[in-house]
Amino acid sequence: QKRPRSDGSRMNDSVAGPSGASVGRTAGGASKLSTADLKRLEIDCARYLLFSDKKNIPVKRQDIIKNVLKDHSKSFAVVLEGARKHLKESFNFSVKEIEEKRGKVYMLRNDCKAEGLQQLTRPAHTLPQLGLLSVVLSLIHMADNDLGEKALWETLEILGINRGASHVDFGDVEKILAEFAKQQYIERRRVTTSKGEGYAYSWGYRSYVEVDMGAVLSFVAEIYGVSASSWAAQHSTHTGAQDMG
């Protein structure tokens, strides 16, 4: 989805991906950054975010400090802002901040996308997989973002998608769901209930970045033939998320 291109500024050849390798060093150690050094760090930061996005890895502040800024952690805000501008101007990507329990994570959103659920544009997605992901995200959203595995499969079976059987359009659905989780469109977590241990599904980081919740409500409302505002809780979640965005 994303291939970095040079904008004419010199990039440090030691840049590496989010595996922990160095992403460039600034001449002058921890001294005040020159304009050239600052520009280089901004581009290194943009490249690091691109590499991380390609591997579907959310980036934390500490990751950027460790792999890009090194001794210049106090320059985090200005470097990130410069990286934002570079990514927007060169690739039309937005850097989105997502709050999670352990702090903020940063992910990229491709702003060159179609409307509604068609904005799920990972290169590996086929049209049938996009349809399946749209259904799964809709089911999770209508369950207040906490859908048990049993309920998920019971609903999918109604739609002719049986667990353990290869589907004519989707193939191995369990494998595809695992891939959606790996790509962070959905989150699968172990839960304990009165009936024993099992799994539950919620939206993943990337869905919050790329998916319009209003499109999800419209998708479900069209199926049921009602207004999206009929679901008060979900409608409130959507409008609140839109205000935050």
Side-chain angles (χ1 to χ4, degrees):
Q1 179 178 329
K2 297 156 277 291
R3 291 192 294 271
R5 70 167 187 264
S6 174
D7 66 349
S9 299
R10 187 174 74 85
M11 296 186 185
N12 193 306
D13 291 335
S14 65
V15 173
S19 60
S22 175
V23 187
R25 298 179 183 276
T26 301
S31 61
K32 185 177 180 180
L33 291 170
S34 67
T35 301
D37 287 337
L38 180 60
K39 180 66 174 178
R40 185 162 57 250
L41 282 178
E42 290 172 354
I43 294 175
D44 284 349
C45 183
R47 292 182 66 180
Y48 181 76
L49 289 167
L50 284 166
F51 281 124
S52 299
D53 182 75
K54 186 176 181 180
K55 293 178 178 293
N56 300 304
I57 299 174
V59 175
K60 300 177 182 178
R61 176 191 175 100
Q62 192 58 38
D63 296 328
I64 294 175
I65 292 174
K66 176 182 177 181
N67 297 303
V68 180
L69 299 180
K70 307 294 183 182
D71 297 326
H72 300 290
S73 60
K74 293 182 179 180
S75 299
F76 176 84
V78 67
V79 169
L80 180 62
E81 183 59 28
R84 285 181 189 273
K85 293 179 180 179
H86 179 69
L87 289 165
K88 184 64 178 177
E89 293 171 0
S90 299
F91 308 101
N92 203 17
F93 287 137
S94 296
V95 179
K96 308 301 291 184
E97 296 181 1
I98 301 174
E99 290 283 356
E100 58 136 18
K101 292 180 179 179
R102 290 169 291 181
K104 291 181 179 178
V105 295
Y106 300 91
M107 300 179 72
L108 299 186
R109 183 180 69 187
N110 185 351
D111 291 335
C112 294
K113 57 179 181 279
E115 295 182 357
L117 295 172
Q118 291 303 314
Q119 60 196 21
L120 300 168
T121 53
R122 294 276 105 184
H125 289 163
T126 64
L127 189 58
Q129 287 180 351
L130 284 175
L132 177 61
L133 180 55
S134 299
V135 169
V136 171
L137 289 176
S138 299
L139 293 175
I140 293 172
H141 194 52
M142 297 310 296
D144 291 333
N145 202 36
D146 187 14
L147 181 63
E149 189 171 42
K150 184 174 183 292
L152 171 64
W153 281 105
E154 285 177 347
T155 307
L156 291 179
E157 286 175 4
I158 294 174
L159 301 175
I161 304 172
N162 297 306
R163 190 171 191 174
S166 179
H167 190 272
V168 62
D169 293 319
F170 308 128
D172 188 337
V173 175
E174 288 189 275
K175 184 177 180 180
I176 295 175
L177 289 176
E179 186 65 23
F180 289 159
K182 181 180 178 181
Q183 295 170 342
Q184 297 176 334
Y185 281 108
I186 60 176
E187 178 183 342
R188 181 174 183 257
R189 64 192 185 283
R190 187 181 292 275
V191 295
T192 302
T193 67
S194 58
K195 296 181 180 180
E197 291 192 349
Y199 291 92
Y201 291 87
S202 57
W203 278 34
Y205 293 130
R206 196 166 295 281
S207 288
Y208 284 108
V209 170
E210 297 184 4
V211 179
D212 179 1
M213 290 188 185
V216 172
L217 292 181
S218 297
F219 177 77
V220 179
E222 185 175 346
I223 294 175
Y224 285 92
V226 298
S227 168
S229 60
S230 298
W231 292 285
Q234 290 82 355
H235 185 70
S236 176
T237 300
H238 162 57
T239 53
Q242 291 298 98
D243 291 340
M244 289 175 60

Short mmCIF file of all heavy atoms in Angstrom, two decimals, residues 78-103:
data_model
loop_
_atom_site.label_atom_id
_atom_site.label_comp_id
_atom_site.label_asym_id
_atom_site.label_seq_id
_atom_site.Cartn_x
_atom_site.Cartn_y
_atom_site.Cartn_z
N VAL A 78 8.05 18.14 17.80
CA VAL A 78 8.35 18.84 16.55
C VAL A 78 8.73 17.88 15.43
O VAL A 78 8.38 18.07 14.27
CB VAL A 78 9.46 19.90 16.77
CG1 VAL A 78 10.79 19.26 17.11
CG2 VAL A 78 9.60 20.80 15.55
N VAL A 79 9.43 16.78 15.78
CA VAL A 79 9.80 15.78 14.77
C VAL A 79 8.56 15.05 14.27
O VAL A 79 8.40 14.83 13.06
CB VAL A 79 10.82 14.79 15.34
CG1 VAL A 79 11.01 13.59 14.40
CG2 VAL A 79 12.17 15.48 15.57
N LEU A 80 7.67 14.68 15.17
CA LEU A 80 6.45 13.99 14.76
C LEU A 80 5.60 14.89 13.87
O LEU A 80 5.04 14.43 12.87
CB LEU A 80 5.65 13.56 15.99
CG LEU A 80 4.33 12.82 15.68
CD1 LEU A 80 4.61 11.52 14.94
CD2 LEU A 80 3.57 12.53 16.98
N GLU A 81 5.52 16.17 14.20
CA GLU A 81 4.74 17.09 13.38
C GLU A 81 5.35 17.22 11.99
O GLU A 81 4.63 17.26 10.98
CB GLU A 81 4.68 18.47 14.05
CG GLU A 81 3.83 19.48 13.30
CD GLU A 81 2.39 19.05 13.13
OE1 GLU A 81 1.88 18.28 13.97
OE2 GLU A 81 1.77 19.47 12.12
N GLY A 82 6.67 17.26 11.92
CA GLY A 82 7.33 17.31 10.61
C GLY A 82 7.09 16.05 9.82
O GLY A 82 6.89 16.08 8.59
N ALA A 83 7.10 14.90 10.51
CA ALA A 83 6.83 13.62 9.84
C ALA A 83 5.40 13.58 9.32
O ALA A 83 5.13 13.07 8.23
CB ALA A 83 7.08 12.46 10.80
N ARG A 84 4.47 14.12 10.10
CA ARG A 84 3.07 14.21 9.66
C ARG A 84 2.96 14.96 8.33
O ARG A 84 2.30 14.50 7.40
CB ARG A 84 2.23 14.95 10.70
CG ARG A 84 1.88 14.21 11.97
CD ARG A 84 1.01 15.12 12.84
NE ARG A 84 0.80 14.60 14.16
CZ ARG A 84 -0.19 13.76 14.50
NH1 ARG A 84 -1.02 13.34 13.57
NH2 ARG A 84 -0.32 13.35 15.75
N LYS A 85 3.60 16.12 8.27
CA LYS A 85 3.53 16.94 7.06
C LYS A 85 4.15 16.22 5.87
O LYS A 85 3.62 16.26 4.76
CB LYS A 85 4.22 18.28 7.31
CG LYS A 85 3.50 19.16 8.31
CD LYS A 85 4.26 20.48 8.53
CE LYS A 85 3.52 21.36 9.55
NZ LYS A 85 4.27 22.64 9.80
N HIS A 86 5.28 15.56 6.11
CA HIS A 86 5.96 14.83 5.04
C HIS A 86 5.08 13.70 4.51
O HIS A 86 4.94 13.52 3.28
CB HIS A 86 7.28 14.28 5.56
CG HIS A 86 8.04 13.49 4.54
ND1 HIS A 86 8.63 14.06 3.43
CD2 HIS A 86 8.30 12.16 4.45
CE1 HIS A 86 9.23 13.12 2.71
NE2 HIS A 86 9.04 11.96 3.32
N LEU A 87 4.48 12.94 5.40
CA LEU A 87 3.63 11.82 5.00
C LEU A 87 2.38 12.30 4.27
O LEU A 87 1.91 11.67 3.32
CB LEU A 87 3.24 10.99 6.22
CG LEU A 87 4.38 10.17 6.84
CD1 LEU A 87 4.01 9.69 8.23
CD2 LEU A 87 4.72 8.98 5.93
N LYS A 88 1.84 13.42 4.70
CA LYS A 88 0.64 13.96 4.07
C LYS A 88 0.95 14.50 2.68
O LYS A 88 0.24 14.20 1.71
CB LYS A 88 0.04 15.06 4.94
CG LYS A 88 -1.28 15.63 4.40
CD LYS A 88 -2.37 14.58 4.36
CE LYS A 88 -3.68 15.15 3.88
NZ LYS A 88 -4.74 14.12 3.78
N GLU A 89 2.01 15.27 2.58
CA GLU A 89 2.35 15.91 1.30
C GLU A 89 2.89 14.91 0.28
O GLU A 89 2.59 15.02 -0.91
CB GLU A 89 3.39 17.01 1.55
CG GLU A 89 2.85 18.18 2.35
CD GLU A 89 3.93 19.16 2.76
OE1 GLU A 89 5.11 18.91 2.41
OE2 GLU A 89 3.61 20.17 3.43
N SER A 90 3.66 13.93 0.73
CA SER A 90 4.30 12.99 -0.19
C SER A 90 3.45 11.77 -0.51
O SER A 90 3.51 11.24 -1.62
CB SER A 90 5.65 12.53 0.38
OG SER A 90 6.53 13.63 0.56
N PHE A 91 2.65 11.31 0.47
CA PHE A 91 1.93 10.06 0.29
C PHE A 91 0.43 10.16 0.56
O PHE A 91 -0.30 9.20 0.37
CB PHE A 91 2.51 8.98 1.23
CG PHE A 91 4.00 8.83 1.12
CD1 PHE A 91 4.84 9.39 2.06
CD2 PHE A 91 4.56 8.14 0.06
CE1 PHE A 91 6.21 9.26 1.96
CE2 PHE A 91 5.94 8.00 -0.05
CZ PHE A 91 6.77 8.57 0.90
N ASN A 92 -0.02 11.31 1.03
CA ASN A 92 -1.41 11.52 1.42
C ASN A 92 -1.84 10.56 2.53
O ASN A 92 -2.94 10.01 2.53
CB ASN A 92 -2.36 11.39 0.22
CG ASN A 92 -3.68 12.14 0.46
OD1 ASN A 92 -3.77 12.99 1.34
ND2 ASN A 92 -4.69 11.82 -0.32
N PHE A 93 -0.94 10.35 3.49
CA PHE A 93 -1.24 9.56 4.68
C PHE A 93 -1.42 10.50 5.87
O PHE A 93 -0.70 11.50 6.00
CB PHE A 93 -0.11 8.58 5.02
CG PHE A 93 -0.02 7.42 4.10
CD1 PHE A 93 1.22 6.99 3.65
CD2 PHE A 93 -1.15 6.74 3.68
CE1 PHE A 93 1.33 5.91 2.80
CE2 PHE A 93 -1.05 5.65 2.83
CZ PHE A 93 0.19 5.23 2.39
N SER A 94 -2.35 10.17 6.74
CA SER A 94 -2.51 10.88 8.00
C SER A 94 -1.96 10.02 9.13
O SER A 94 -2.11 8.80 9.11
CB SER A 94 -3.99 11.18 8.27
OG SER A 94 -4.52 12.07 7.31
N VAL A 95 -1.33 10.67 10.11
CA VAL A 95 -0.88 9.96 11.30
C VAL A 95 -1.97 10.11 12.36
O VAL A 95 -2.30 11.21 12.77
CB VAL A 95 0.45 10.55 11.84
CG1 VAL A 95 0.88 9.80 13.11
CG2 VAL A 95 1.54 10.47 10.77
N LYS A 96 -2.55 9.00 12.76
CA LYS A 96 -3.65 9.01 13.72
C LYS A 96 -3.16 8.55 15.09
O LYS A 96 -2.38 7.61 15.21
CB LYS A 96 -4.79 8.10 13.26
CG LYS A 96 -5.25 8.38 11.83
CD LYS A 96 -5.76 9.80 11.66
CE LYS A 96 -7.05 10.05 12.38
NZ LYS A 96 -7.57 11.42 12.11
N GLU A 97 -3.61 9.24 16.13
CA GLU A 97 -3.30 8.87 17.50
C GLU A 97 -4.47 8.10 18.10
O GLU A 97 -5.61 8.54 17.98
CB GLU A 97 -3.03 10.12 18.34
CG GLU A 97 -1.83 10.92 17.91
CD GLU A 97 -1.60 12.13 18.78
OE1 GLU A 97 -2.40 12.31 19.73
OE2 GLU A 97 -0.68 12.90 18.51
N ILE A 98 -4.19 6.97 18.72
CA ILE A 98 -5.23 6.15 19.34
C ILE A 98 -4.87 5.94 20.80
O ILE A 98 -3.76 5.53 21.13
CB ILE A 98 -5.37 4.79 18.64
CG1 ILE A 98 -5.70 4.99 17.16
CG2 ILE A 98 -6.44 3.94 19.31
CD1 ILE A 98 -5.71 3.71 16.37
N GLU A 99 -5.82 6.24 21.67
CA GLU A 99 -5.60 6.04 23.10
C GLU A 99 -5.87 4.59 23.47
O GLU A 99 -6.89 4.03 23.09
CB GLU A 99 -6.54 6.95 23.92
CG GLU A 99 -6.19 8.43 23.83
CD GLU A 99 -5.00 8.80 24.69
OE1 GLU A 99 -4.48 7.92 25.40
OE2 GLU A 99 -4.59 9.97 24.64
N GLU A 100 -4.94 3.97 24.17
CA GLU A 100 -5.15 2.64 24.72
C GLU A 100 -4.71 2.66 26.17
O GLU A 100 -4.22 3.67 26.67
CB GLU A 100 -4.39 1.58 23.90
CG GLU A 100 -2.91 1.82 23.84
CD GLU A 100 -2.14 0.52 24.05
OE1 GLU A 100 -2.70 -0.56 23.92
OE2 GLU A 100 -0.97 0.62 24.41
N LYS A 101 -4.90 1.56 26.86
CA LYS A 101 -4.67 1.53 28.30
C LYS A 101 -3.24 1.93 28.68
O LYS A 101 -3.01 2.57 29.69
CB LYS A 101 -4.97 0.13 28.85
CG LYS A 101 -6.45 -0.25 28.78
CD LYS A 101 -6.68 -1.63 29.34
CE LYS A 101 -8.16 -2.00 29.29
NZ LYS A 101 -8.41 -3.36 29.81
N ARG A 102 -2.29 1.56 27.83
CA ARG A 102 -0.89 1.83 28.17
C ARG A 102 -0.37 3.10 27.51
O ARG A 102 0.83 3.35 27.50
CB ARG A 102 -0.04 0.63 27.77
CG ARG A 102 -0.28 -0.60 28.64
CD ARG A 102 0.36 -1.83 28.07
NE ARG A 102 -0.32 -2.25 26.84
CZ ARG A 102 0.02 -3.32 26.13
NH1 ARG A 102 1.03 -4.07 26.53
NH2 ARG A 102 -0.64 -3.63 25.04
N GLY A 103 -1.25 3.90 26.97
CA GLY A 103 -0.84 5.15 26.36
C GLY A 103 -1.24 5.24 24.90
O GLY A 103 -1.99 4.42 24.39
#
